[in-house]
């Protein structure tokens, strides 16, 4: 987490970027004195793109990096926000001693792989445009990067494969590691194939997971989808699928049919390398990372958006208490007052169990946000606290 003190000169910060991937820039903003109501965003926003309805930014001195954020905050998120007319929010001052955690997605798109670049984050007054404070962040290429690092390539029409012999170590989205490191990669029989509005994850010729986009129009047509592959442990690789909504023209109209822009969603799937089975998977809901465990042999099913069929299925089937609380946008009781990251202990231990043995355990099926046919044997252990807490 990078510190951004508003009332003193900010020292430059460092983020090791992941070539051809997306890393989280996690910024902790603090105030010693009361500040105005401010928003925060990268300096490299292009006015012409904003005018055209595209909301993203670039590094100050390189077009090899695209920076994005979420929540539909076109002009950048508020440093501190409060509800306004129930359906909206407004920026309010940050009081002395208060802190705010803000997340940006830093995506390296190339075509070059710079040794370094500069990304400046600005806290600014939306009405006047005046910059209140700025934080320069150095983006640095990882030391272990070189020829042979896995990259996803389109090997046939609507088909992508990871090619290379070095793979990055798993990097959690909300708790990014300090450094990027690599290990040797096996020749994995993995590919992703698109058919209409569905992505199929294929291992050795067998479909092991599907991601269906029920939004209209589908984001799959927008060249806004990317994949990453990580080494999770000695038994699993982790496939991450990213989806970015950065163009406000998608869907058109006002509210009706219009997508929330900017926004980003992802799925992580742990794939057991001995047989290609997806054993654990996660996504995010209401600023929480939610994991589910997979026991059945049929492919994992994930969805973006809610089709009519999905809504009916969710209404008819029994759900865990944790899911009900999350869906209602309430604090899960077990993690409301503490910082809890399931990646630190619980999920790695479950992955080890799946990797070492073939389990037959059954449990109540818990339909997590946009991930189906998975189980939460201990719901509170599968769901993180609000990631903005730290």
């Amino acid at each position: 987490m990078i510190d951004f003190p508003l009332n003193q000169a900010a020292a430059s910060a460092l983020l090791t970027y992941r070539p051809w991937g997306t890393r989280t820039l996690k910024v902790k903003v603090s105030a010693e004195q009361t500040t105005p109501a401010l928003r925060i965003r990268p300096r490299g926003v292009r006015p012409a793109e904003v005018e055209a309805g595209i909301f993203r930014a670039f590094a100050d001195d390189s077009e090899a990096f695209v920076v994005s954020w979420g929540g539909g905050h076109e002009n950048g998120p508020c440093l501190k926000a409060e509800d306004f007319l129930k359906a909206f929010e407004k920026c309010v001052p940050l009081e002395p001693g208060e802190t705010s955690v803000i997340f940006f997605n830093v995506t390296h798109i190339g075509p070059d792989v710079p040794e370094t670049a500069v990304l400046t984050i600005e806290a600014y007054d939306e009405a006047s445009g005046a910059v209140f404070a700025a934080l320069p962040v150095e983006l640095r290429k990882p030391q272990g990067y070189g020829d042979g690092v896995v990259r996803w390539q389109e090997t046939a029409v609507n088909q992508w494969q990871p090619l290379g012999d070095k793979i990055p170590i798993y990097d959690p989205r909300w708790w990014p590691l300090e450094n990027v490191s690599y290990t040797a990669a096996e020749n994995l029989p993995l590919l992703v194939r698109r058919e209409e509005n569905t992505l199929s994850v294929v291992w050795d010729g067998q479909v092991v997971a599907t991601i269906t986009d029920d939004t209209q129009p589908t984001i799959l047509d927008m060249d806004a989808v990317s994949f990453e592959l990580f080494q999770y442990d000695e038994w699993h690789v982790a496939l991450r699928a990213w989806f970015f909504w950065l163009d406000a023209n998608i869907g058109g109209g006002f509210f009706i049919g219009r997508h929330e822009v900017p926004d980003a969603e992802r799925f992580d799937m742990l794939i057991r390398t001995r047989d290609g089975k997806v054993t654990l998977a996660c996504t995010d809901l209401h600023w929480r990372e939610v994991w589910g465990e997979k026991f059945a042999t049929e492919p994992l099913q994930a969805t973006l958006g809610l089709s009519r069929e999905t809504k009916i299925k969710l209404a008819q089937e029994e759900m865990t208490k944790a899911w009900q609380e999350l869906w209602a946008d309430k604090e899960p009781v077990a993690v409301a007052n503490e910082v809890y990251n399931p990646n630190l202990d619980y999920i790695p231990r479950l992955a080890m169990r799946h990797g070492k043995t073939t389990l037959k355990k059954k449990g109540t099926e818990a339909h997590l946000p946009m991930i189906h046919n998975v189980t939460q044997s201990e719901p509170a252990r599968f769901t993180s606290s609000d990631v903005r807490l730290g």
Side-chain angles (χ1 to χ4, degrees), residues 23-346:
R23 292 210 77 200
T24 297
L25 176 62
K26 187 175 183 178
V27 182
K28 183 180 181 180
V29 185
S30 59
E32 294 182 352
Q33 305 169 19
T34 301
T35 70
L38 300 172
R39 287 189 180 272
I40 183 171
R41 69 181 179 186
R43 176 178 292 173
V45 171
R46 296 178 175 175
E49 288 198 337
V50 173
E51 185 69 23
I54 298 174
F55 298 94
R56 62 180 181 179
F58 295 85
D60 300 4
D61 54 355
S62 174
E63 294 188 352
F65 303 92
V66 169
V67 188
S68 59
W69 53 96
H73 304 298
E74 295 177 346
N75 297 315
C78 298
L79 286 187
K80 181 182 177 182
E82 65 179 26
D83 290 340
F84 174 63
L85 298 177
K86 295 185 178 181
F88 305 95
E89 69 175 25
K90 64 177 180 180
C91 300
V92 296
L94 201 64
E95 301 296 334
E98 287 188 325
T99 61
S100 177
V101 178
I102 307 293
F103 298 89
F104 295 98
N105 310 306
V106 179
T107 302
H108 173 252
I109 60 171
D112 59 331
V113 185
E115 290 293 332
T116 62
V118 176
L119 167 63
T120 301
I121 303 297
E122 296 180 334
Y124 75 103
D125 183 287
E126 185 175 16
S128 66
V131 175
F132 186 86
L135 174 69
V137 179
E138 178 186 350
L139 305 179
R140 184 179 297 174
K141 185 172 73 173
Q143 291 185 347
Y145 180 78
D147 294 338
V149 169
V150 165
R151 286 185 60 185
W152 284 84
Q153 298 184 37
E154 189 169 9
T155 54
V157 177
N158 289 327
Q159 177 176 295
W160 301 267
Q161 288 182 264
L163 302 177
D165 56 18
K166 289 199 298 185
I167 187 172
I169 301 299
Y170 182 75
D171 190 21
R173 178 184 183 183
W174 302 110
W175 303 274
L177 303 178
E178 183 176 353
N179 295 306
V180 174
S181 58
Y182 298 90
T183 188
E186 301 177 12
N187 185 18
L188 302 174
L190 174 67
L191 62 87
V192 177
R193 183 174 61 228
R194 178 188 174 181
E195 297 174 356
E196 298 182 347
N197 67 328
T198 295
L199 297 173
S200 295
V201 180
V202 180
W203 182 277
D204 200 19
Q206 299 296 314
V207 175
V208 297
T210 61
I211 304 173
T212 300
D213 180 18
D214 289 316
T215 65
Q216 296 295 329
T218 175
I219 193 64
L220 302 185
D221 287 338
M222 306 300 168
D223 192 28
V225 180
S226 63
F227 310 104
E228 294 192 73
L229 191 65
F230 303 92
Q231 186 71 41
Y232 187 84
D233 59 18
E234 62 182 289
W235 304 281
H236 296 85
V237 291
L239 171 65
R240 178 172 294 164
W242 281 104
F243 303 85
F244 297 98
W245 290 264
L246 306 179
D247 187 346
N249 300 295
I250 299 174
F254 182 67
F255 291 117
I256 305 300
R258 187 187 187 280
H259 285 247
E260 181 181 68
V261 172
D263 201 12
E265 301 289 352
R266 60 89 194 213
F267 297 101
D268 283 9
M269 304 176 185
L270 301 194
I271 304 174
R272 193 166 57 195
T273 54
R274 76 162 184 254
D275 57 9
K277 175 179 167 54
V278 175
T279 62
L280 291 146
C282 81
T283 189
D284 309 294
L285 182 69
H286 299 315
W287 292 105
R288 288 174 178 80
E289 180 174 275
V290 187
W291 284 82
E293 195 172 8
K294 186 85 167 56
F295 294 104
T297 57
E298 75 274 6
L300 177 81
Q301 299 171 21
T303 57
L304 286 167
L306 292 175
S307 67
R308 179 176 179 274
E309 291 76 13
T310 300
K311 292 176 182 177
I312 292 173
K313 184 178 180 182
L314 291 175
Q316 290 176 338
E317 295 187 358
E318 182 179 358
M319 304 177 192
T320 66
K321 181 180 179 182
W323 161 249
Q324 294 174 24
E325 290 174 335
L326 283 167
W327 185 254
D329 200 11
K330 297 179 180 178
E331 294 281 341
V333 175
V335 296
N337 299 312
E338 63 183 60
V339 176
Y340 172 61
N341 173 6
N343 284 290
L344 287 180
D345 179 63
Y346 191 66

